[in-house]
Amino acid sequence: GEPLDYTGTGKELFLGFLFAFGAVLLPVLLVSVGLAIVIGKSGAAVIQIGIYIGFVYLFGVGTYLAQRFRLTRTRWRGIRGNLEGNAWRYGWTSLWTACLIPITFGWIYPWRATRLQRLTVEGMRFGETRFAFQENAGPLYGRFIALWIFALVGLTAVGFAIGAIVATHGVKAAKAAKTGITLTPEGSALVALVLIAAYLVALFASSWYRAGQFNHFARSTLFAGAALRGTMTGSGLLWLQVSNFFLIIATIGILAPVAQARSARYFVQHVVFDGPVDLDGIVQSHAAARGKSGEGLAQAFDFDAF
C-alpha cells in the first residue's frame, strides 16, 4: 500500500548527457574524422570497426550505470536503493560475450544473459539489504533449443518460399553487360508478405522465449529471504510489443513515452514476492553513493536500461 518514490530529475539526466557527449562522443567523432583524413580510405574501415567495438563496450557500461541511476533515485518507505559493482566490468563482460554469439551460432546467449543478470542482481541492494541470485542458465536451454531449431527451420522455409517466388515471378533482364533477375509487382508483393509473416512468427517465438527467461530470472532472485516470481506469458509480451509498435507508428513517435510507460507497467505487474519479507529489518544505507548528475551514456545512445 506504499508507493515507490522516484526522485530523479530531467536536469540530472541532461547534465549527464552533456558530460557523455563532451567526454566520449565528440572526442571519438573528431579523432575518427582526423584519422580517416590522415590514413585515408584504406584505414577508415579499421577505424570504424574499432569505433563500433568501443560503442558496444560503452553500451554495456551505460546499461549498468543507467540501472544504478534509477535505483539510487528510487525510494520506498524512505529507504533508497543502490547498485554496487563495477560498470566497466559489466561492459567488458557484455562485449566479449557478444563477440562469441556468432562464433557459437547463438548457443552462448542463455549463458550470457544469465551472467549479465547475475552481475546486476548481486550488485543490487535496498538500504542495507542485498539481493541474491541463485540459479544458472541450465533451465533456459530447453526453451532455447526449441527456439534455435524453430529459427533454423523458419529461415530454411523462408529461403525456399522466396526462391519459389523468384522462379515463378522473376523476369530476366539484361542491360549492357549486366544480367540479372527482376521481380514482377506480384512477385515483389508476395516476397513482402512472406517477410512480414516471418517477422511476426519470429516475434511470437522470441516473446515466448523472453517470457520464460524473465520468469526464470525472477524466481532466481532472492530478497530478504523471499523469492520473486514472474508471471509473464509469451502471448502477453507479444501483444505488448505489437500494440506498442503500431501505437508509435500511428502517431509518428509522438506517443513513444506512452509505449515506454506501458512496457514498464507490464514488467512490474508480472513480478510478485513469494514469502514474507521482514520490512522492519530493512534500514537505510548511509554509504550509498549518489552522484550529482544523471547517467549520460544511455541518454547519448538513446536507449533505456529497464
Side-chain angles (χ1 to χ4, degrees), residues 152-166:
L152 182 62
V153 173
L155 288 173
T156 304
V158 169
F160 274 114
I162 293 178
I165 293 172
V166 170

Side-chain angles (χ1 to χ4, degrees), residues 73-293:
R73 267 63 177 181
T74 302
R75 297 174 183 268
W76 185 58
R77 302 170 72 239
I79 301 175
R80 185 172 65 247
N82 193 21
L83 179 62
E84 298 176 342
N86 193 313
W88 303 103
R89 177 191 175 197
Y90 183 94
W92 167 243
T93 302
S94 177
L95 174 62
W96 72 262
T97 53
C99 293
L100 291 179
I101 291 178
I103 297 176
T104 62
F105 298 100
W107 285 94
I108 196 178
Y109 182 80
W111 181 86
R112 175 180 185 267
T114 303
R115 184 177 178 88
L116 293 176
Q117 184 73 6
R118 181 183 296 277
L119 288 175
T120 301
V121 172
E122 291 184 345
M124 290 170 55
R125 72 182 188 187
F126 185 63
E128 292 286 356
T129 305
R130 296 180 179 275
F131 284 76
F133 194 82
Q134 62 174 10
E135 260 293 358
N136 53 47
L140 291 177
Y141 272 96
R143 280 181 178 248
F144 183 78
I145 291 172
L147 178 65
W148 196 89
I149 295 175
F150 180 84
L152 182 62
V153 173
L155 288 173
T156 304
V158 169
F160 274 114
I162 293 178
I165 293 172
V166 170
T168 55
H169 296 275
V171 178
K172 291 185 177 180
K175 290 184 180 180
K178 198 182 220 179
T179 302
I181 297 178
T182 59
L183 287 174
T184 63
E186 295 82 3
S188 299
L190 288 174
V191 169
L193 288 176
V194 168
L195 293 178
I196 292 173
Y199 173 75
L200 292 176
V201 173
L203 190 61
F204 173 77
S206 64
S207 297
W208 172 75
Y209 176 80
R210 288 178 57 203
Q213 177 180 276
F214 179 88
N215 296 336
H216 172 67
F217 287 166
R219 63 175 171 264
S220 302
T221 303
L222 299 176
F223 177 73
L228 274 67
R229 177 165 52 89
T231 60
M232 188 179 293
T233 62
S235 58
L237 185 57
L238 175 65
W239 166 248
L240 175 71
Q241 295 180 100
V242 173
S243 59
N244 276 348
F245 173 78
F246 284 108
L247 182 66
I248 295 173
I249 294 298
T251 62
I252 324 177
I254 295 175
L255 294 184
V258 176
Q260 292 175 350
R262 293 179 75 237
S263 297
R265 181 187 297 116
Y266 181 80
F267 276 81
V268 171
Q269 287 179 339
H270 286 81
V271 180
V272 297
F273 273 107
D274 274 340
V277 177
D278 181 16
L279 299 180
D280 294 331
I282 303 174
V283 296
Q284 180 63 278
S285 171
H286 299 289
R290 177 187 169 98
K292 295 182 179 180
S293 65

